[in-house]
């Protein structure tokens, strides 16, 4: 305890150090005598200190005092070299610690509690420390000792770890013979291995159970996802829209690929029909020119036409061929017992057998190619009914998005290629051509549009009601326009009647559309008017011969003139068939101002008044639409018919003078029919024909 008090007095600072230096010389002689005994004591205690500082042991108070003494001596004499060379490493560490550490608290953290050599001065300082202050510092010493014990335990553990690391890094590990290992037997090893295996098996089984649980969770999650996909409205909507988008994209791509072939085949069909129509009209015009030239040469007294660029034999052959066709048609009418037919009212559009065979063969080849267009396409993409069912499903499930997407506006253009393929063999001019309403595409679109539904069941805001009219406008009307421009013959009554009937039917379907005007419809009507004007200019020709030349009804010139007159009457009838489709002013200009007053009336004026003239006038009046005369007042007729009515009045006077009472009455009836009542009344008053007043009242 005395030694500890001395160390505590040396620690605080320079005052204790100076006292030690003052007493150092006085006690030097006495301490020198104990030098040898101290050395031997130091060596004997070295092993004991190392044992006390071994890992896990708490240092004693003597070890702690020795540590304080070593630190103090290192500060007072840093150039001390120990005699024991083995302690060089410890000396260097002590010097480094003394240079770097200035505070007591930090110095204690770096202390190494290992046995070291004490120097002579150190031992002398221990004897020179005064003992008078021992009792005053007992309490502080006790507290300090407890702190140092705690620090020593921690430092000893760190020292043990450093020593273990150094041993593991050494080339040849050294073992402390003092450390004893527990005895190991085979049974002990076997027991530990068995326990280890059992532990690993338990862990493995736990992992297997966890893995099974995870697998069950995954399967349950998959089932939940499937159920959510089925039950979730958003997922179903997305799935439907994605499928519909893919379907429409594939459908459009398919049509884009096939559209090139459809255009080629449709153009080939139109070109074939146009070639036949052009050939017939050109032949008719050539025959008219040659026949007119032949009649002109007959007027000069020659039986045969002179050579004017073509061989006479060839011209005569053509005329004989034309006469042969005319004879064949006459015989056919006689067998069919057709009445009220006049020479010249035939269209003369027959083809030779070879031409007809070649035409039909080419047409069959084109139609066969058209059937192959969609042979490699699934029915869902080439059947109009199935395509419309897809959009019908959309409309039923999601009507709002269906309307927002303007599907009713897109369907006519989308269905255009399929409709055109079905119309490849259709002609609006032929009697035996299939009716539009009987075609599969028309039935499918009509059913989709709800055109067959009763007005009570229809919705006013249903956009699909416009699909059929738009298909007609986008596809049917342009096709009819092409036929009118390139194929239609206005002189053909059969073609004109079929065309007028088709247009009336189509325009009636278009009434369902809410659009006030249709550009396609107007284009068709304009093309009809243009084609009729060209026919009036190119196909009408009525020669004027002297009355002496046509008095003989069997003469060639008389027959030729009559044929040309009846051909013009036929054209007038065909033109006026368009009443109700073409504007009335346009028809009156074409039919009355041009055809009647410019061509027909001249022939009538040049024809002697008689039954033949009355018959011609009756046929002309029969062509006029009755609607034109329904709202006429004040007993006057149409302005364009004034000249014709004056001709009827002259015929009536001539017939009355020649005592043809029946023919006279027929002429008066014609005046009444065209509402020329004032002219008829003047004639009755003039000739006192009271019995005809009843005819006017009717």
């Amino acid at each position: 305890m005395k030694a500890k008090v001395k160390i505590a007095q040396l620690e605080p600072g320079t005052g204790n150090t100076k006292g030690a230096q003052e007493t150092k010389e006085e006690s030097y002689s006495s301490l020198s005598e104990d030098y040898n005994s101290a050395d031997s004591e130091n060596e004997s205690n070295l092993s004991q200190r190392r044992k006390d500082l071994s890992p896990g042991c708490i240092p004693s108070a003597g070890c702690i005092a020795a540590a304080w003494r070593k630190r103090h001596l290192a500060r007072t004499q840093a150039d001390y070299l120990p005699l024991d060379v083995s302690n060089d490493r410890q000396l260097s560490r002590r010097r480094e610690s003394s240079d770097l550490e200035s505070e007591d608290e930090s110095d204690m953290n770096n202390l190494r509690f290992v046995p070291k050599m004490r120097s002579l001065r150190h031992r002398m300082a221990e004897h020179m420390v005064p003992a008078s202050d021992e009792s005053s510092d007992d309490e502080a010493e006790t507290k300090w000792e407890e702190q140092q014990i705690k620090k020593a335990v921690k430092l000893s553990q760190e020292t043990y770890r450093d020593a273990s690391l150094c041993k593991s890094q050494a080339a040849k590990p050294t073992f402390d013979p003092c450390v004893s290992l527990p005895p190991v037997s085979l049974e002990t090893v076997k027991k530990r291995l068995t326990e280890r295996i059992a532990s690993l098996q338990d862990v493995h089984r736990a992992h297997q159970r966890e893995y099974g649980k995870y697998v069950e969770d995954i399967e349950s999650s998959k089932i939940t996802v499937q159920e959510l996909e089925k039950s979730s409205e958003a997922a179903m909507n997305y799935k439907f829209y994605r499928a519909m988008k893919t379907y429409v994209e594939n459908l459009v791509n398919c049509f884009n690929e096939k559209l090139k072939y459809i255009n080629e085949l449709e153009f080939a069909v139109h070109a074939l029909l146009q070639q036949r129509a052009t050939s017939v009209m050109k032949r008719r015009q050539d025959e008219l020119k040659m026949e007119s030239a032949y009649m002109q040469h007959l007027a000069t007294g020659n039986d045969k036409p002179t050579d004017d660029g073509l061989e006479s034999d060839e011209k005569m052959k053509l005329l004989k061929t034309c006469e042969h066709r005319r004879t064949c048609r006459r015989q056919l009418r006689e067998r069919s017992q057709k009445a009220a037919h006049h020479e010249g009212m035939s269209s003369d559009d027959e083809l030779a057998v070879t031409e007809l065979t070649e035409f039909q063969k080419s047409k069959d080849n084109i139609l066969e190619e058209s059937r192959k267009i969609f042979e490699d396409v699934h029915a869902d993409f080439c059947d109009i009914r199935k395509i419309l069912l897809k959009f019908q499903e959309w409309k039923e499930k999601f009507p709002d998005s269906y309307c927002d997407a303007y599907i009713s506006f897109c369907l006519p253009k989308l269905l255009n290629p399929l409709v055109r393929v079905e119309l490849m063999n259709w002609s609006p001019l032929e009697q035996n051509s299939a009716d539009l309403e009987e075609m599969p595409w028309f039935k499918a679109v009509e059913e989709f549009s709800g055109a067959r539904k009763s007005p009570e069941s229809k919705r006013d805001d249903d956009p699909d009601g416009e699909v059929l009219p738009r298909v007609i406008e986008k596809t049917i009307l342009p096709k009819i326009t092409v036929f009118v421009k390139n194929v239609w013959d206005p002189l053909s009554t059969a073609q004109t009647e079929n065309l007028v009937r088709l247009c009336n039917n189509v325009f009636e379907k278009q009434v369902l559309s809410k659009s006030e005007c249709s550009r396609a419809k107007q284009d068709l009507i304009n093309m009809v008017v243009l084609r009729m004007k060209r026919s009036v200019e190119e196909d009408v020709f009525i020669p004027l011969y002297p009355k002496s030349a046509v008095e003989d009804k069997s003469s060639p010139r008389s027959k030729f003139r009559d044929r040309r007159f009846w051909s013009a009457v036929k054209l007038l009838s065909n033109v006026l068939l368009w009443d109700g489709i073409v504007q009335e002013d346009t028809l009156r200009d074409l039919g009355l101002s041009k055809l009647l007053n410019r061509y027909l009336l001249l022939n009538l004026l040049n024809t002697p008044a008689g039954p033949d003239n009355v018959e011609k006038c009756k046929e002309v009046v029969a062509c006029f639409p009755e609607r034109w005369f329904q709202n006429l007042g004040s007993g006057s007729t149409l302005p364009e018919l004034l000249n014709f009515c004056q001709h009827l009045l002259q015929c009536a006077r001539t017939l009355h003078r020649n005592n043809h009472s029946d023919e006279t009455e027929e002429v008066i009836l014609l005046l009444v029919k065209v509402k020329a009542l004032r002219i008829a009344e003047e004639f009755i008053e003039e000739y006192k024909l009271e019995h005809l007043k009843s005819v006017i009242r009717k």
Side-chain angles (χ1 to χ4, degrees), residues 139-165:
E139 185 178 355
E141 183 69 20
T142 302
K143 186 176 181 180
W144 177 85
E145 182 178 356
E146 292 176 357
Q147 294 177 354
Q148 296 305 315
I149 290 173
K150 293 179 181 180
K151 294 180 180 180
V153 172
K154 186 181 296 184
L155 291 174
S156 62
Q157 293 177 356
E158 294 178 357
T159 305
Y160 175 74
R161 285 196 296 269
D162 295 340
S164 299
L165 182 60

Side-chain angles (χ1 to χ4, degrees), residues 85-234:
V85 182
S86 61
N87 294 330
D88 290 344
R89 183 179 301 175
Q90 298 174 357
L91 179 61
S92 63
R93 292 180 180 176
R94 186 172 64 249
R95 290 178 177 178
E96 293 174 358
S97 300
S98 63
D99 294 335
L100 296 175
E101 298 175 359
S102 60
E103 295 181 2
D104 296 341
E105 192 71 19
S106 61
D107 290 340
M108 289 302 299
N109 293 333
N110 295 324
L111 288 178
R112 296 291 186 267
F113 293 94
V114 294
K116 294 183 179 179
M117 291 289 294
R118 291 185 300 171
S119 62
L120 178 60
R121 293 182 180 181
H122 186 197
R123 291 193 298 271
M124 293 173 63
E126 292 178 356
H127 292 282
M128 289 186 293
V129 174
S132 60
D133 298 332
E134 293 180 359
S135 60
S136 62
D137 295 335
D138 288 342
E139 185 178 355
E141 183 69 20
T142 302
K143 186 176 181 180
W144 177 85
E145 182 178 356
E146 292 176 357
Q147 294 177 354
Q148 296 305 315
I149 290 173
K150 293 179 181 180
K151 294 180 180 180
V153 172
K154 186 181 296 184
L155 291 174
S156 62
Q157 293 177 356
E158 294 178 357
T159 305
Y160 175 74
R161 285 196 296 269
D162 295 340
S164 299
L165 182 60
C166 294
K167 289 180 181 180
S168 62
Q169 294 177 352
K172 292 182 179 181
T174 58
F175 298 94
D176 191 355
C178 298
V179 178
S180 61
L181 298 175
V184 179
S185 63
L186 182 60
E187 294 297 331
T188 304
V189 174
K190 183 178 180 180
K191 181 180 179 181
R192 291 184 178 179
L193 291 177
T194 303
E195 293 176 354
R196 182 61 176 169
I197 292 173
S199 177
L200 292 176
Q201 289 177 350
D202 293 340
V203 173
H204 178 65
R205 284 190 294 269
H207 289 171
Q208 284 184 335
R209 288 192 298 269
E210 189 175 3
Y211 173 75
K213 183 179 179 181
Y214 289 157
V215 171
E216 292 178 358
D217 292 342
I218 292 173
E219 295 297 330
S220 177
S221 299
K222 290 182 179 179
I223 296 174
T224 304
V225 168
Q226 293 177 358
E227 293 177 354
L228 290 175
E229 288 180 352
K230 293 179 181 179
S231 61
S232 176
E233 183 178 357

Side-chain angles (χ1 to χ4, degrees), residues 543 550 557-565 603 606-607:
V550 294
R557 285 185 289 179
S558 178
K559 291 181 178 180
F560 176 69
R561 189 192 67 170
D562 290 341
R563 287 197 299 270
R564 299 315 307 161
F565 174 83
N603 182 272
N606 197 34
T607 302

